[in-house]
Amino acid sequence: MLADALEHLVRGVVDNPDDVTVRDKQLRHGSVLEVRVHPDDLGKVIGRGGRTASAFRTVVSALAGRGGARVDFVDVDRRR
């Protein structure tokens, strides 16, 4: 659910929504949501001073509740 919600939010911000993927990784210390975007959209997702990324993290932590989740932003390598 968290990954779907975050993917929906990120797709609304970027210019290349087809390149957005969110993967939920379960690690020992908790859940990590890995967001991959087109390299041209990385700045839009992070925002000036990290404000947009911080807003995404705030929304995800509010949805996650006590369990919490970490959000990492990665650019897509076009050579895949």
Side-chain angles (χ1 to χ4, degrees):
M1 179 193 115
L2 289 175
D4 294 335
L6 182 58
E7 184 173 344
H8 181 74
L9 290 172
V10 172
R11 282 180 184 261
V13 172
V14 298
D15 290 332
N16 302 296
D18 294 336
D19 289 339
V20 174
T21 59
V22 178
R23 197 166 74 184
D24 189 3
K25 291 183 175 179
Q26 296 298 323
L27 303 176
R28 278 185 288 162
H29 54 78
S31 179
V32 176
L33 296 173
E34 184 180 86
V35 180
R36 292 186 175 270
V37 297
H38 190 276
D40 296 339
D41 292 329
L42 192 58
K44 287 186 177 198
V45 172
I46 293 172
R48 179 170 285 157
R51 289 182 185 156
T52 306
S54 178
F56 285 134
R57 290 183 177 112
T58 300
V59 170
V60 167
S61 67
L63 291 173
R66 284 184 183 237
R70 200 176 89 206
V71 178
D72 288 336
F73 296 99
V74 182
D75 63 342
V76 172
D77 185 10
R78 287 182 157 258
R79 291 171 276 164
R80 288 200 287 164

